[in-house]
Amino acid sequence: MAYNLCSSPSYVLQDGHYPCSSLSCPPNSKLRSFNFPRRSEFLSLHSKFSCHATQVSVDDAVSQEAGDPVPKSLDSPHPDGKISSPSRSYIWVNPNSPRASKLRQQSYDARYSFLMNMAESLNSCGSTEDDVFGILSGLGDKILEQDAVVVLNNMANAENASLALKYFRQRIKPRREVIMYNVTLKVFRKGRDLDRAEKLFDEMLERGVKPDNVTFSTIIGCARMCSLPNKAVEWFEKMPQFGCDPDDVTYSAMIDAYGRAGNVDMALSLYDRARTGKWRVDVATFSTLIKIYGQTKNFDGCLNVYEEMKALGVKPNLVIYNTLLDAMGRAKRPWQAKILYKELINNGFTPSFATYAALVRAYGRARYSEDALAIYREMKEKGMELNVILYNTLLAMCADVGYIDEAVEIFEEMKSSKTCQPDSWTFSSLITIYSCSGKVSEAEGMLDQMLEAGFEPNLFVLTSLIQCYGKAQRTDDIVSTFNRLLELAITPDDRFCGCLLNVMTQTPSEELDKLVHCIEKANPKLGNVVKFLIKEHDSELNFKEAALELFESINADVKKAYSNCLIDLCVNANLLEKACELLDLGLTLEIYTDIQSRSATQWSLHLKSLSLGAALTALHVWINDLSKALQSGEELPPLLGINTGHGKHKYSDKGLASVFESHLKELNAPFHEAPDKVGWFLTTKIAAQSWLESRSSLELEAS
């Protein structure tokens, strides 16, 4: 009887792309990749377990070292050229028996182990032909194509793999030469050596070897591993020239490549095909898709991809979570960042620096101050060193929310850090914090530190200083700072001029002329409007026309601030008529919207986004409108309300509600703060009507 031993898989199996060749494989058997697992202890009855096995007869061992002839055909199931009799029977052999040990030595497993050791030797030897050829000479004169592929496939040294390929080409006439090239390309992919891979591809063409799908997928994979997505796209788009049709795996990989290369439309188009065709998409591709949606500000798309990924059974890794956290930070959705972070922890991941950095940015931008500071302290406890960007994010957040002590602590820790030192933006944040708090000496001290560190003050810093001096009513210092800006050849922008305008609302009337001169230099159109309010002014335009010209020349994001300040100046100068003109212009230009609202049950005045002067002007206009409605016989609703909002300025203890409460008492108005609606002052129809009628009577008597 003849016995058979299951042995190592064939060289011709490349990621499932090639059929069995020298192996005896029944139909429907699964092909195995180049990660050749050893199964030397697996013996089987041929009729049941002969898949992936080279048949070895006890009488006809195929030990290459014993001098077996080269197979007549690599397609033959019997590489020794002999055809076994159909009547030959096979029986199971106990793998622990001495006979099995002898068969094992005669099998290809022993040969495979020998070839693996040879590959390891080639990885560590010198990179000369003598060194590489000397080791390969141990294969003898009769080398199987299978031997060459096993050796190349298990190599990691790209330079030596090139020499080994040369050696094998000189001694073997392979059935499909492209296979040896492909396994060599895989070595280059392991080593992330795209240059060598491209040169080998050129050599293939010169030798008349036609590349196949595996050739291209391997080079594309190499380009991706080298973080060269444009190269991956270039190689993908060459495939049709050589008659190669990408498979689903390659298409899926190209979603990632196109996304990284910036071709968002193509990446998303392929992803749509992937969903329809149910392609297998890897985690790296999902990560790229989330980045794509984040870059296009489709933040719901980021979350949808994440949910689709989980629905397909693809487990998110730390990179996925970090990418999502970054996207939610840019979306200003800190609550979703908190949910994702909790899920990350629950799934057993340890937060990395990138995780913490994304959280600091997410919480910092959204002014989740306590959460941001908690993450900062956790990073410090774990010995993580922050970079200057993260420090500046925290300091900017502290400036936004008025955290002076926390900002100073972070600044001192930053200065003692070994990894980074303060830059101009660091000093800018500290100067802003001190300036908004009216701490003049501290702001000036920080400016001195900034200069000592070699940084010139920028427009942002000078704007903050002017704000600081304005709070302290140091008008001469404001003028000096403005002159310094001109000396540094810095052009004032709309925000800088808005700051000057805001400072004017806090400046004693006898010193306003000094600031008018600065404003005229910074923005002549603004200076023209201000002069209408401060002193007698001759102009071809009337006041409202001059204001309209100003608003048409400035950016939309500063129009409300300008209007508020100009109305405040009017109120300070007791120019109520001009204040009403500005408010009316603001409503016409939609700088202010929805200040008044009416329903069947309530008429309301909304003042949350207005300065004090603008709010008082809006109240004056609203009361007049109510009086006119009453005089015309219009029925008032059951309830009337004024909404001031319940917030206060971050650097002040006072909010609009507290100031307005006092003003309403001065007017003897029947509005009272609602106990169940913070920031609302309400009155009834009867009380309002009685008060309005009494006001009308007093006005008639006065006239």
Side-chain angles (χ1 to χ4, degrees):
M1 283 190 178
Y3 299 90
N4 284 277
L5 176 68
C6 273
S7 183
S8 299
S10 169
Y11 71 96
V12 288
L13 307 180
Q14 294 213 19
D15 298 339
H17 286 278
Y18 295 106
C20 285
S21 178
S22 63
L23 304 184
S24 176
C25 291
N28 303 320
S29 65
K30 293 184 179 179
L31 304 182
R32 213 178 304 160
S33 70
F34 269 118
N35 298 320
F36 291 94
R38 302 180 188 178
R39 298 196 177 183
S40 56
E41 295 181 1
F42 179 68
L43 299 171
S44 67
L45 186 63
H46 175 68
S47 60
K48 292 184 179 180
F49 306 105
S50 62
C51 177
H52 305 312
T54 301
Q55 296 183 2
V56 183
S57 169
V58 173
D59 301 319
D60 304 306
V62 294
S63 173
Q64 190 73 17
E65 294 177 282
D68 280 353
V70 176
K72 293 181 180 179
S73 170
L74 288 172
D75 293 321
S76 169
H78 304 282
D80 60 359
K82 298 180 181 180
I83 307 298
S84 59
S85 168
S87 62
R88 180 177 291 182
S89 59
Y90 304 95
I91 63 169
W92 176 80
V93 176
N94 188 334
N96 296 319
S97 70
R99 182 178 298 173
S101 177
K102 181 179 179 182
L103 293 175
R104 194 177 295 119
Q105 291 174 6
Q106 294 173 334
S107 76
Y108 194 78
D109 274 344
R111 181 69 171 176
Y112 183 78
S113 178
F114 166 72
L115 296 173
M116 287 281 289
N117 291 333
M118 179 170 284
E120 290 176 10
S121 299
L122 289 168
N123 286 333
S124 57
C125 75
S127 298
T128 66
E129 280 195 8
D130 289 343
D131 292 327
V132 173
F133 286 15
I135 292 173
L136 291 173
S137 64
L139 292 172
D141 296 330
K142 298 177 180 178
I143 305 172
L144 288 173
E145 181 181 354
Q146 179 174 351
D147 293 345
V149 176
V150 169
V151 170
L152 287 168
N153 189 66
N154 286 282
M155 289 186 67
N157 186 320
E159 189 172 357
N160 289 0
S162 296
L163 295 172
L165 176 64
K166 180 179 179 181
Y167 181 88
F168 290 130
R169 277 204 327 265
Q170 293 173 355
R171 290 160 177 79
I172 299 175
K173 291 184 178 179
R175 182 177 59 88
R176 288 196 63 197
E177 195 170 357
V178 68
I179 297 173
M180 286 206 303
Y181 277 102
N182 286 346
V183 287
T184 308
L185 286 170
K186 288 186 178 182
V187 180
F188 298 160
R189 184 180 65 187
K190 290 178 195 174
R192 303 187 179 190
D193 193 340
L194 184 61
D195 288 340
R196 208 181 290 272
E198 290 183 328
K199 289 175 183 176
L200 188 62
F201 182 85
D202 292 338
E203 180 185 309
M204 288 176 65
L205 299 184
E206 289 172 6
R207 292 177 56 85
V209 179
K210 184 182 178 182
D212 60 11
N213 276 17
V214 177
T215 309
F216 284 102
S217 65
T218 306
I219 297 176
I220 289 168
C222 184
R224 288 181 68 199
M225 291 179 68
C226 294
S227 299
L228 296 171
N230 287 305
K231 276 288 186 181
V233 169
E234 177 186 323
W235 280 98
F236 174 73
E237 292 177 352
K238 284 182 180 179
M239 293 181 73
Q241 301 173 25
F242 296 89
C244 296
D245 294 321
D247 57 15
D248 293 353
V249 175
T250 304
Y251 272 127
S252 296
M254 291 312 300
I255 298 172
D256 174 63
Y258 274 112
R260 291 173 183 268
N263 191 337
V264 174
D265 292 339
M266 187 64 177
L268 295 180
S269 173
L270 284 175
Y271 182 53
D272 287 338
R273 288 179 60 183
R275 284 187 289 194
T276 304
K278 297 182 179 181
W279 301 344
R280 182 176 60 84
V281 180
D282 60 22
V283 177
T285 300
F286 278 116
S287 177
T288 299
L289 285 165
I290 293 169
K291 285 180 184 176
I292 288 172
Y293 282 115
Q295 288 165 0
T296 56
K297 297 184 179 180
N298 183 351
F299 301 111
D300 288 330
C302 296
L303 296 172
N304 289 339
V305 169
Y306 175 59
E307 293 301 326
E308 287 174 7
M309 181 182 97
K310 291 193 295 184
L312 291 170
V314 180
K315 292 184 178 180
N317 58 16
L318 190 58
V319 175
I320 289 287
Y321 281 117
N322 290 346
T323 306
L324 281 167
L325 288 172
D326 181 69
M328 293 304 103
R330 285 185 285 113
K332 293 187 178 180
R333 298 182 184 180
W335 62 92
Q336 286 183 321
K338 292 182 81 169
I339 293 170
L340 288 165
Y341 181 59
K342 185 177 180 181
E343 186 176 323
L344 178 155
I345 297 298
N346 291 340
N347 285 338
F349 291 104
T350 301
S352 65
F353 177 85
T355 310
Y356 287 124
L359 287 170
V360 167
R361 290 191 295 269
Y363 295 151
R365 289 170 181 168
R367 299 181 184 178
Y368 270 43
S369 50
E370 295 302 324
D371 293 295
L373 292 173
I375 293 295
Y376 166 68
R377 294 185 182 110
E378 188 174 336
M379 292 179 75
K380 299 300 286 186
E381 287 172 6
K382 291 187 175 182
M384 292 184 179
E385 293 290 347
L386 281 72
N387 57 34
V388 68
I389 295 173
L390 293 181
Y391 274 118
N392 286 346
T393 300
L394 289 166
L395 290 171
M397 177 200 71
C398 290
D400 283 339
V401 298
Y403 278 17
I404 301 175
D405 295 338
E406 290 83 353
V408 172
E409 177 189 342
I410 292 169
F411 178 65
E412 292 301 324
E413 289 183 2
M414 181 183 186
K415 288 196 295 183
S416 63
S417 168
K418 297 179 181 178
T419 57
C420 62
Q421 289 299 308
D423 63 7
S424 62
W425 287 109
T426 311
F427 291 111
S428 296
S429 293
L430 268 296
I431 291 170
T432 299
I433 291 171
Y434 288 132
S435 297
C436 291
S437 306
K439 296 180 179 292
V440 178
S441 59
E442 287 87 346
E444 291 178 335
M446 193 56 62
L447 177 62
D448 291 338
Q449 286 191 47
M450 182 177 185
L451 294 171
E452 289 172 7
F455 299 108
E456 285 289 341
N458 55 25
L459 183 60
F460 186 81
V461 169
L462 296 175
T463 303
S464 296
L465 285 172
I466 283 178
Q467 185 179 18
C468 184
Y469 291 134
K471 282 181 175 289
Q473 296 189 350
R474 289 170 52 167
T475 308
D476 290 339
D477 288 323
I478 294 173
V479 175
S480 297
T481 303
F482 178 76
N483 290 334
R484 187 174 190 174
L485 175 138
L486 298 180
E487 290 168 5
L488 292 169
I490 299 174
T491 303
D493 64 0
D494 287 344
R495 291 184 182 278
F496 179 86
C497 295
C499 182
L500 276 175
L501 191 58
N502 178 261
V503 164
M504 288 189 71
T505 66
Q506 308 166 52
T507 302
S509 57
E510 62 271 15
E511 294 190 328
L512 285 174
D513 283 344
K514 298 177 182 178
L515 299 182
V516 171
H517 180 66
C518 295
I519 284 181
E520 280 187 291
K521 285 186 177 180
N523 186 331
K525 290 180 181 179
L526 176 59
N528 191 30
V529 174
V530 168
K531 283 192 289 186
F532 271 108
L533 308 178
I534 305 304
K535 55 187 179 181
E536 293 296 326
H537 178 51
D538 294 327
S539 173
E540 295 179 359
L541 302 173
N542 62 37
F543 173 67
K544 198 166 184 178
E545 289 172 340
L548 177 60
E549 185 179 57
L550 169 67
F551 285 124
E552 287 177 342
S553 68
I554 59 178
N555 291 326
D557 58 344
V558 299
K559 287 182 179 180
K560 184 176 287 187
Y562 274 47
S563 183
N564 280 342
C565 288
L566 288 169
I567 294 175
D568 285 350
L569 282 173
C570 292
V571 172
N572 292 346
N574 201 24
L575 300 171
L576 186 58
E577 185 178 343
K578 282 187 169 59
C580 291
E581 284 187 68
L582 284 168
L583 181 65
D584 182 62
L585 181 61
L587 290 168
T588 303
L589 297 176
E590 296 187 346
I591 296 171
Y592 303 115
T593 56
D594 303 322
I595 289 182
Q596 294 187 27
S597 66
R598 292 188 178 189
S599 70
T601 57
Q602 181 174 334
W603 290 2
S604 301
L605 177 67
H606 303 279
L607 306 173
K608 287 195 292 184
S609 64
L610 276 63
S611 63
L612 177 58
L616 292 174
T617 304
L619 176 65
H620 171 78
V621 172
W622 189 57
I623 291 172
N624 285 344
D625 289 345
L626 292 177
S627 297
K628 290 175 184 177
L630 195 62
Q631 291 169 8
S632 65
E634 193 172 352
E635 192 75 17
L636 295 181
L639 200 63
L640 294 95
I642 301 170
N643 181 16
T644 62
H646 62 277
K648 63 181 182 180
H649 194 278
K650 59 196 174 191
Y651 292 101
S652 172
D653 292 329
K654 290 185 178 181
L656 187 58
S658 61
V659 178
F660 229 73
E661 186 176 16
S662 300
H663 184 69
L664 290 170
K665 287 179 180 178
E666 289 176 10
L667 295 175
N668 199 29
F671 290 90
H672 302 284
E673 192 165 8
D676 57 338
K677 296 179 72 176
V678 180
W680 276 91
F681 294 86
L682 301 174
T683 190
T684 62
K685 168 186 174 181
I686 297 173
Q689 189 168 324
S690 174
W691 177 67
L692 290 169
E693 288 173 350
S694 66
R695 276 176 59 86
S696 297
S697 299
L698 291 172
E699 288 174 1
L700 285 172
E701 290 175 7
S703 61

